[in-house]
Amino acid sequence: MSELLQAVLDSEERSDLRQFISELRHQEKSYLLRNDILTAYTDYCNKYQKPNEFYNSSNLGKLIYYTQEIIQEDSNLYLIIRPKIAGQEVYRLTEDLSVDSLTVQDLLDLRDRLVNRFHPNEGDILELDFGPFYDYTPTIRDAKNIGKGVQYLNRYLSSKLFQDPRQWLEGLFNFLRLHQYNGTQLLINGRIQSQQQLSDRVKQALVFVGDRPSDQPYEEFQYELQGMGFEAGWGNTAGRVGETLEILDELLDSPDHQTLEAFISRVPMVFKIVLVSIHGWFGQEGVLGRPDTGGQVVYVLDQAKNLEKQLQEDTTLAGLDGLNVKPKVIILSRLIPNSDGTLCNQRLEKVHGTENAWILRVPLREFNPKLTQNWISRFEFWPYLETFAIDAEKELLAELHGKPDLIVGNYTDGNLVAFLLARRMNVTQCNIAHALEKSKYLFSNLYWQDLEDKYHFSLQFTADLIAMNAANFIISSTYQEIVGTPDSVGQYESYRCFTMPDLYHVVNGIELFSPKFNVVPPGVNEKYYFPYSRTEERLPSDRQRVEEMLFTLEDSAQIFGKLDDPSKRPVFSMARLDRIKNLTGLAECFGKSAALQEQCNLILVAGKLRVEESDDNEERDEIVKLYRIIDEYNLHGKIRWLGVRLSKTDSGEIYRVIADHQGIFVQPALFEAFGLTVLEAMISGLPTFATQFGGPLEIIQDKVNGFYINPTHLEEMAEKILEFVSKCEQNPNYWYEISTRGIDRVYTTYTWKIHTTRLLSLARTYGFWNFTSKENREDLLRYIEALFYLIYKPRAQQLLEQHMNR
């Protein structure tokens, strides 16, 4: 039994537990989530005048703190307790407080009964269990090391060297013989025939390059090295070749994980990368702010530019310039014929500021041209992914003159296509979720049937399970994205165990302790987003134009609201206009606080201004809601709403102009997977208030370089903003202190140089692991294919038939 529960039952607090349960019986809710439980416990303590010490420190208080869910069924109470990160226990309490432990299957049956109370399942339901496929792979033991997969894998691999050095060194030797570029052999040639010979020749080569000037170009001594058995790829100078061979020599003689990582990170094995981002408008101008785009487009474009730059740098350092090696990065997206004036109808578009990075757009097959020639919501996109992947494979092979070395998926649809491509081409697959919708929409799996017409979560969650389990490695922006915090469940953790009533039970959906998980946060595009104080880099014309747009410009079809007093401190936010981004919540928070209206103006850059201009259901609902809030709280003269499409230049300058006015940035999302706008605001110098639900918890250090807010508590949110504004009035330096610390935080932790170096190191390490471990993934991939063809594909076909009739 849970130690938390046992401690209560073995103490005088047993009667308090009984009393608390009695209070719960009077509630209408039969399913309580953590916030409901904490509220009920607070009410209980207040009603029975319990001291603060009891609330915070009693055994019952600790039990309540770690209880994620309470379900009431008949006379029984079920507690879902999460005593530690990535751990869950389920117990049934009867009326006389006797306790039974429940299995995962029991819990899923219970949840099904809650949904189908009047139509219980007849017979069994399909169970999905990925657990056995992870039994033969290394797993991390300590939850605090989740997300550090590559460090763990390197330790594991280097320990294998000690346990079975002959077999392992044979694997390393064969791995080095493997590498070529367009048919040209790299690293070692046929003059080295065994791992012992490799060790001897490395020592010989070290003496040879050690006698040469460290800056002597590789081309001047390449033939001598070839005679010893070494081809290009070790370095571009004698010094660099010597460093690489020294690391290999150390790895062969006395291996450890740091040496292994240092060596593998230098192996030239990644030259062609495909980044899959398919559902939205993907372009370089005129696409941001569209439904389903924005953050992901910015992320992938910046990633592509910096990956290509890093690949070029790595290629030069490896001494491959003489072989005319040209690294290539392709962003795979969909071609949209009716592209609304953007370049999304263009097959191939070069990425600005790069030598060899491209956007490759592949059209959907014309099942119904009325749909497939236009943008399609991410919630409706599922029927087209398989045929898109088949068509995209041909296009990629033609553009790359062969297979890519790495395929990176973005979002659920991109990750599923990445799986289909990687499976067909036998290529390393990386997943980046950006956001897992299951965490964003409450009870979305439990009541999926009620939401299916609008969101099609049965397809999305099945695609998530397929892609995340098939991936060789997964990148998350934060630790909590994987396994949450001590008091909240992570996005990936939510896939470990769940039910979709009448469809399937997931008893083990993902192994959170797998070394495939790695935390690699993105960076900020420093060309467009930089501190407001760097005035020499700002164009006066841009600054003046943005200033007018934000505060004074009238008679614009894209701007709503005229400010009575433009000199007030601006409270600013910029996001998509959808329910999760919660800009309407920020507007209501502002509307409820007369004091905040007295001190500040509210400025929003968000979506469209008119319902008839939007194709997205959620955006239309939020437009209506925002106008209603403005009227209800009479915010006319105090709010300005810009429904504009912004270039990156203007987007960066908007943050800086708000900073010129000593404004603040508020990110009020109900949930935010990472928070790119938080980074953009902070690097620009804006004191930032961001949601405590999601990634900003790891970006911001509360009250040090920014502030956490709870977007569900509007009055409390207003008070926190007001408290900051008041401190700034009393101490003019306070705004500058928070601003400066925010800038420093981004520059030390969130740059694209850090991100791309890490990503390429991961790609090489997992490629090496796949080769040397001889891990047989075929059984896992066959299981995943069964899920795709027996669950996903028939449901996608049903949705396609609906689309054909529109």
Side-chain angles (χ1 to χ4, degrees):
M1 189 193 301
S2 162
E3 292 179 9
L4 293 163
L5 188 52
Q6 189 75 59
V8 175
L9 295 175
D10 289 347
S11 71
E12 295 176 357
E13 294 173 25
R14 183 185 181 97
S15 60
D16 293 301
L17 176 59
R18 190 187 300 277
Q19 205 171 38
F20 177 60
I21 290 172
S22 177
E23 290 295 320
L24 291 180
R25 300 271 184 227
H26 296 111
Q27 292 213 5
E28 291 183 7
K29 287 185 176 180
S30 58
Y31 202 133
L32 285 77
L33 295 179
R34 189 168 184 275
N35 278 347
D36 303 320
I37 298 164
L38 291 174
T39 300
Y41 183 59
T42 301
D43 292 343
Y44 164 75
C45 289
N46 290 336
K47 180 176 179 178
Y48 291 96
Q49 298 181 332
K50 298 290 184 183
N52 285 338
E53 186 180 346
F54 180 88
Y55 179 86
N56 294 310
S57 305
S58 65
N59 290 319
L60 180 57
K62 291 173 185 173
L63 174 64
I64 295 301
Y65 179 82
Y66 288 107
T67 300
Q68 290 293 320
E69 301 171 25
I70 292 178
I71 301 173
Q72 300 187 64
E73 185 187 49
D74 303 326
S75 60
N76 294 323
L77 200 73
Y78 296 85
L79 302 181
I80 294 90
I81 302 171
R82 187 172 175 265
K84 59 184 179 181
I85 281 175
Q88 178 179 280
E89 300 169 3
V90 187
Y91 299 97
R92 175 173 54 222
L93 266 70
T94 62
E95 279 190 298
D96 63 357
L97 295 190
S98 63
V99 180
D100 296 314
S101 178
L102 271 65
T103 65
V104 169
Q105 286 88 343
D106 293 333
L107 173 62
L108 299 180
D109 286 339
L110 169 66
R111 286 173 172 159
D112 280 0
R113 290 199 301 272
L114 193 74
V115 175
N116 297 328
R117 185 172 293 277
F118 303 108
H119 304 283
N121 282 329
E122 295 288 340
D124 290 331
I125 189 169
L126 173 65
E127 280 191 357
L128 302 179
D129 185 359
F130 288 91
F133 300 108
Y134 291 94
D135 285 347
Y136 305 102
T137 60
T139 52
I140 292 165
R141 291 185 180 87
D142 192 336
K144 72 173 179 289
N145 291 324
I146 290 172
K148 300 176 183 177
V150 75
Q151 291 99 312
Y152 178 85
L153 200 54
N154 282 326
R155 286 192 188 94
Y156 179 84
L157 288 168
S158 59
S159 72
K160 286 282 187 186
L161 248 174
F162 284 113
Q163 294 168 20
D164 192 351
R166 178 177 292 276
Q167 182 182 344
W168 202 91
L169 289 172
E170 183 71 28
L172 179 61
F173 169 66
N174 289 328
F175 177 72
L176 293 177
R177 292 200 298 182
L178 189 71
H179 299 295
Q180 296 182 339
Y181 178 80
N182 285 353
T184 300
Q185 183 65 35
L186 304 178
L187 297 177
I188 60 176
N189 58 39
R191 292 184 176 90
I192 299 176
Q193 293 290 322
S194 68
Q195 79 257 24
Q196 184 55 54
Q197 198 174 15
L198 172 65
S199 181
D200 295 340
R201 293 288 174 84
V202 166
K203 288 176 170 48
Q204 182 184 344
L206 276 170
V207 173
F208 171 76
V209 295
D211 290 338
R212 315 187 90 71
S214 64
D215 60 350
Q216 184 176 9
Y218 165 75
E219 288 75 17
E220 293 182 10
F221 56 86
Q222 69 180 59
Y223 298 114
E224 289 92 333
L225 279 182
Q226 281 179 327
M228 297 179 208
F230 297 99
E231 295 292 338
W234 297 97
N236 60 335
T237 63
R240 179 76 179 182
V241 170
E243 284 176 17
T244 309
L245 289 171
E246 190 74 54
I247 296 168
L248 177 57
D249 189 46
E250 187 178 340
L251 183 62
L252 294 171
D253 289 347
S254 53
D256 62 51
H257 64 277
Q258 288 107 332
T259 308
L260 178 62
E261 182 172 10
F263 179 69
I264 296 300
S265 68
R266 291 188 177 214
V267 174
M269 54 188 284
V270 179
F271 303 105
K272 303 169 186 175
I273 298 177
V274 174
L275 309 176
V276 187
S277 179
I278 54 174
H279 67 256
W281 301 85
F282 200 103
Q284 300 180 82
E285 294 97 16
V287 299
L288 299 184
R290 295 297 183 91
D292 307 342
T293 62
Q296 188 178 317
V297 173
V298 171
Y299 181 110
V300 176
L301 269 175
D302 288 346
Q303 187 184 57
K305 291 177 184 178
N306 286 279
L307 274 172
E308 191 233 17
K309 184 178 178 183
Q310 191 62 50
L311 284 171
Q312 287 178 338
E313 187 179 309
D314 291 351
T315 299
T316 296
L317 284 172
L320 299 179
D321 286 349
L323 297 180
N324 199 30
V325 173
K326 294 195 179 301
K328 190 168 189 174
V329 177
I330 286 182
I331 300 169
L332 176 65
S333 192
R334 66 162 292 216
L335 187 146
I336 307 175
N338 297 333
S339 62
D340 196 16
T342 70
L343 295 180
C344 294
N345 61 352
Q346 191 176 102
R347 178 185 175 272
L348 202 61
E349 180 186 356
K350 192 173 184 181
V351 175
H352 302 330
T354 69
E355 289 183 28
N356 206 12
W358 303 82
I359 302 170
L360 172 65
R361 300 186 184 91
V362 176
L364 301 183
R365 295 185 188 177
E366 290 195 346
F367 294 100
N368 177 355
K370 285 191 290 186
L371 267 72
T372 53
Q373 292 199 0
N374 297 292
W375 169 78
I376 298 173
S377 162
R378 71 186 190 274
F379 295 119
E380 299 275 335
F381 202 41
W382 313 109
Y384 310 101
L385 299 184
E386 184 181 16
T387 50
F388 178 88
I390 292 167
D391 297 341
E393 181 187 10
K394 298 169 190 169
E395 298 278 354
L396 287 170
L397 290 172
E399 285 298 321
L400 294 170
H401 305 294
K403 298 191 302 185
D405 303 304
L406 174 67
I407 298 176
V408 182
N410 292 273
Y411 192 70
T412 303
D413 47 24
N415 284 323
L416 187 68
V417 169
F419 155 68
L420 294 169
L421 289 169
R423 177 68 167 141
R424 291 169 68 91
M425 294 194 276
N426 192 26
V427 172
T428 302
Q429 175 197 349
C430 167
N431 267 31
I432 304 178
H434 294 282
L436 292 165
E437 304 285 352
K438 187 171 168 296
S439 303
K440 292 164 63 175
Y441 292 84
L442 198 60
F443 294 131
S444 51
N445 60 286
L446 205 55
Y447 295 100
W448 69 273
Q449 287 149 306
D450 299 336
L451 301 166
E452 191 71 355
D453 286 347
K454 187 174 183 180
Y455 293 115
H456 308 288
F457 285 139
S458 67
L459 284 157
Q460 178 143 23
F461 300 164
T462 304
D464 283 327
L465 287 170
I466 289 169
M468 66 177 65
N469 282 286
N472 297 102
F473 66 100
I474 296 172
I475 282 180
S476 71
S477 296
T478 60
Y479 173 84
Q480 65 80 37
E481 186 180 331
I482 308 169
V483 284
T485 64
D487 55 14
S488 66
V489 174
Q491 290 186 64
Y492 282 97
E493 187 180 0
S494 73
Y495 281 76
R496 198 175 195 181
C497 150
F498 67 96
T499 175
M500 301 194 80
D502 300 322
L503 186 61
Y504 53 64
H505 282 176
V506 177
V507 296
N508 191 341
I510 185 70
E511 176 51 75
L512 300 169
F513 289 83
S514 166
K516 71 165 61 180
F517 283 104
N518 292 273
V519 176
V520 187
V524 182
N525 188 327
E526 295 171 43
K527 178 181 177 183
Y528 299 104
Y529 303 99
F530 53 85
Y532 74 100
S533 53
R534 279 161 43 182
T535 51
E536 70 282 358
E537 296 176 46
R538 299 172 63 184
L539 292 176
S541 57
D542 286 345
R543 188 172 178 175
Q544 183 179 350
R545 181 171 48 79
V546 169
E547 174 97 23
E548 290 174 357
M549 181 170 62
L550 283 170
F551 296 103
T552 57
L553 184 65
E554 296 183 31
D555 301 324
S556 170
Q558 294 178 299
I559 298 174
F560 173 85
K562 179 182 178 183
L563 299 176
D564 292 339
D565 183 359
S567 66
K568 286 182 181 178
R569 190 186 303 270
V571 173
F572 172 66
S573 194
M574 179 161 58
R576 285 199 316 267
L577 202 53
D578 65 22
R579 188 182 69 83
I580 296 296
K581 293 298 183 185
N582 193 38
L583 291 189
T584 51
L586 176 59
E588 189 166 4
C589 161
F590 185 72
K592 283 176 175 283
S593 174
L596 200 52
Q597 294 171 44
E598 183 69 28
Q599 299 266 3
C600 304
N601 288 317
L602 179 61
I603 299 178
L604 304 176
V605 175
K608 304 282 198 310
L609 294 182
R610 284 166 280 278
V611 171
E612 60 272 17
E613 293 176 351
S614 176
D615 298 322
D616 184 76
N617 291 330
E618 274 199 20
E619 185 176 47
R620 287 198 290 263
D621 292 344
E622 291 295 295
I623 291 170
V624 172
K625 187 176 179 182
L626 188 50
Y627 280 121
R628 178 181 59 74
I629 289 167
I630 292 169
D631 290 338
E632 181 180 342
Y633 294 101
N634 192 23
L635 296 179
H636 301 281
K638 303 166 187 174
I639 188 171
R640 199 156 158 90
W641 171 12
L642 284 66
V644 294
R645 274 192 211 169
L646 295 173
S647 66
K648 279 194 176 180
T649 302
D650 283 352
S651 178
E653 191 60 25
I654 272 183
Y655 289 115
R656 291 188 288 272
V657 168
I658 296 290
D660 292 336
H661 289 254
Q662 293 203 356
I664 63 172
F665 179 77
V666 182
Q667 203 271 32
L670 299 174
F671 179 84
E672 181 59 62
F674 180 62
L676 202 54
T677 56
V678 172
L679 292 184
E680 292 168 356
M682 289 172 72
I683 201 172
S684 303
L686 275 176
T688 298
F689 292 72
T691 179
Q692 67 186 42
F693 302 123
L697 271 181
E698 291 177 41
I699 298 174
I700 288 173
Q701 295 155 316
D702 193 32
K703 299 177 183 174
V704 176
N705 46 38
F707 303 88
Y708 301 148
I709 52 173
N710 184 338
T712 63
H713 294 166
L714 301 183
E715 289 83 357
E716 179 189 294
M717 187 158 74
E719 285 171 14
K720 285 198 172 184
I721 297 170
L722 268 172
E723 182 183 354
F724 173 78
V725 171
S726 299
K727 282 188 178 180
C728 292
E729 295 297 325
Q730 295 161 16
N731 174 14
N733 284 328
Y734 186 59
W735 187 92
Y736 294 103
E737 287 171 15
I738 299 296
S739 169
T740 303
R741 289 183 206 146
I743 293 168
D744 291 344
R745 173 69 172 165
V746 178
Y747 277 124
T748 55
T749 315
Y750 298 100
T751 69
W752 279 112
K753 174 70 174 175
I754 297 169
H755 175 95
T756 50
T757 302
R758 198 82 187 122
L759 174 57
L760 291 174
S761 177
L762 291 172
R764 295 178 182 116
T765 299
Y766 285 94
F768 177 61
W769 160 251
N770 289 340
F771 178 81
T772 57
S773 70
K774 306 298 181 188
E775 182 188 1
N776 184 8
R777 285 169 28 100
E778 192 61 26
D779 50 355
L780 168 64
L781 293 171
R782 289 293 184 187
Y783 187 78
I784 287 170
E785 283 182 338
L787 188 55
F788 177 81
Y789 288 109
L790 300 178
I791 300 291
Y792 179 91
K793 191 168 180 177
R795 299 195 70 83
Q797 191 62 38
Q798 289 173 14
L799 180 56
L800 181 61
E801 289 168 8
Q802 293 175 26
H803 284 189
M804 294 292 285
N805 295 324
R806 289 187 184 177

